[in-house]
């Protein structure tokens, strides 16, 4: 929706029959009603509920428009997106409003064109379009950044050696005594060595 102040500036003051010249087919009141309906249609951001068949029939023959086959084609051409709404406003503002008001709606066209230029409604739509595009681009950037962001490296533990099985166990062994007495080496479950009481070796040749 347009800001309230902008919408009021577009709609008000209401157009009156005194501003227009009747034609052979339409009186001045009909011209004023069409002009007010078009201004309200623009002020309320082109609601589809206001795009009636009767309104389409007149609008398609003003501001240099063509019928676009039917009301559906006209709606799709101008009112489906923000960008096409801007195209509609731009064409409305740029239209030279040719013709004799006694035969055409050119006097209504001139009043509508002047009102739209005065309010700068097209600039408001252009700013909004830029904001919408930026929001879409930022959302797409975030989506792509999340999709292609490098994932944390996964540590492969299967190839790592178990330190309990690869640590070299060291044992301390004391030198044998010089008197040919051997000490029994005892290794504890903790990997440390200890010496038990020396055992004397029998001399099998004693007494010969």
């Amino acid at each position: 929706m347009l800001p309230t102040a902008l919408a009021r500036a577009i709609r008000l003051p209401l157009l009156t029959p005194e501003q227009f010249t009747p034609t052979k087919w339409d009186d001045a009141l009909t011209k004023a009603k069409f002009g007010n309906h078009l201004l309200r249609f623009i002020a309320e951001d082109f609601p589809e509920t206001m795009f009636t068949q009767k309104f389409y029939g007149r609008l398609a023959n003003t501001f240099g428009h063509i019928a676009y086959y039917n009301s559906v084609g006209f709606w799709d051409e101008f009112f489906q997106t923000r960008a096409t709404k801007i195209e509609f406003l731009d064409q409305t503002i740029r239209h030279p409003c040719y013709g004799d008001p006694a035969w055409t709606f050119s006097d209504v066209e001139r009043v509508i064109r002047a009102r739209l230029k005065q309010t700068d409604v097209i600039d408001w739509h252009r700013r909004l379009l830029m904001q919408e595009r930026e929001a879409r681009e930022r959302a797409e950037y975030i989506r792509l950044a999340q999709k292609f962001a490098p994932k944390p490296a996964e540590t492969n533990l299967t190839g790592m050696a178990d330190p309990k099985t690869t640590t070299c166990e060291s044992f301390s062994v004391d030198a044998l005594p010089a008197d040919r007495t051997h000490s029994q080496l005892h290794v504890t479950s903790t990997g440390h060595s200890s010496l038990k009481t020396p055992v004397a070796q029998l001399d099998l040749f004693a007494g010969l």
Side-chain angles (χ1 to χ4, degrees), residues 61-103:
N61 289 282
T62 57
F63 298 102
H65 294 302
I66 59 176
Y68 293 94
Y69 304 108
N70 52 41
S71 60
V72 175
F74 195 97
W75 177 267
D76 290 342
E77 180 71 17
F78 287 116
F79 307 124
Q80 287 281 24
T81 67
R82 185 70 54 191
T84 57
K85 292 175 183 179
I86 293 173
E87 291 179 10
F88 173 82
L89 292 172
D90 185 65
Q91 181 171 333
T92 303
I93 292 171
R94 291 177 178 272
H95 184 64
C97 307
Y98 294 127
D100 184 341
W103 296 89

Side-chain angles (χ1 to χ4, degrees), residues 170-174 185-187 191-195:
S170 59
F171 304 94
S172 59
V173 180
D174 296 334
L185 181 64
H186 176 70
V187 181
H192 300 287
S193 61
S194 61
L195 292 176

Side-chain angles (χ1 to χ4, degrees), residues 13 90 133-134 184 189 195:
D90 185 65
R133 284 177 177 172
E134 181 178 350
Q184 291 184 346
S189 59
L195 292 176

Side-chain angles (χ1 to χ4, degrees), residues 4-208:
T4 302
L6 178 58
R8 286 177 60 86
I10 295 171
R11 292 185 57 205
L12 303 176
L14 294 175
L15 307 183
T16 62
E18 292 75 21
Q19 296 175 259
F20 308 112
T21 302
T23 70
K24 181 180 179 179
W25 304 275
D26 299 289
D27 57 20
L29 180 59
T30 300
K31 285 187 170 183
K33 285 182 177 180
F34 167 72
N36 285 324
H37 190 93
L38 176 55
L39 289 174
R40 182 185 171 193
F41 180 63
I42 296 171
E44 296 186 10
D45 200 11
F46 310 96
E48 190 171 3
T49 54
M50 292 186 63
F51 192 68
T52 63
Q53 190 66 29
K54 181 178 180 180
F55 175 59
Y56 154 74
R58 171 52 58 189
L59 181 60
N61 289 282
T62 57
F63 298 102
H65 294 302
I66 59 176
Y68 293 94
Y69 304 108
N70 52 41
S71 60
V72 175
F74 195 97
W75 177 267
D76 290 342
E77 180 71 17
F78 287 116
F79 307 124
Q80 287 281 24
T81 67
R82 185 70 54 191
T84 57
K85 292 175 183 179
I86 293 173
E87 291 179 10
F88 173 82
L89 292 172
D90 185 65
Q91 181 171 333
T92 303
I93 292 171
R94 291 177 178 272
H95 184 64
C97 307
Y98 294 127
D100 184 341
W103 296 89
T104 67
F105 272 54
S106 60
D107 48 353
V108 180
E109 293 172 344
R110 293 187 186 96
V111 173
I112 298 294
R113 183 181 63 178
R115 185 75 63 88
L116 297 181
K117 285 183 176 180
Q118 181 182 1
T119 58
D120 290 329
V121 61
I122 193 171
D123 290 336
W124 182 86
H125 280 279
R126 285 170 176 161
R127 289 192 298 270
L128 188 60
L129 178 62
M130 292 180 62
Q131 293 172 4
E132 291 173 348
R133 284 177 177 172
E134 181 178 350
R136 288 195 300 270
E137 290 172 356
R138 287 181 179 275
E140 181 66 5
Y141 171 79
I142 293 173
R143 186 187 71 82
L144 293 175
Q146 292 175 345
K147 180 178 180 180
F148 295 105
K151 295 180 174 59
E154 296 180 358
T155 304
N156 185 6
L157 299 178
T158 58
M160 294 182 63
D162 186 352
K164 294 182 179 180
T165 61
T166 58
T167 302
C168 296
E169 298 179 351
S170 59
F171 304 94
S172 59
V173 180
D174 296 334
L176 292 175
D179 60 356
R180 299 176 64 188
T181 300
H182 300 289
S183 298
Q184 291 184 346
L185 181 64
H186 176 70
V187 181
T188 65
S189 59
T190 60
H192 300 287
S193 61
S194 61
L195 292 176
K196 287 189 174 182
T197 304
V199 178
Q201 185 176 6
L202 297 178
D203 189 351
L204 300 179
F205 299 96
L208 293 179

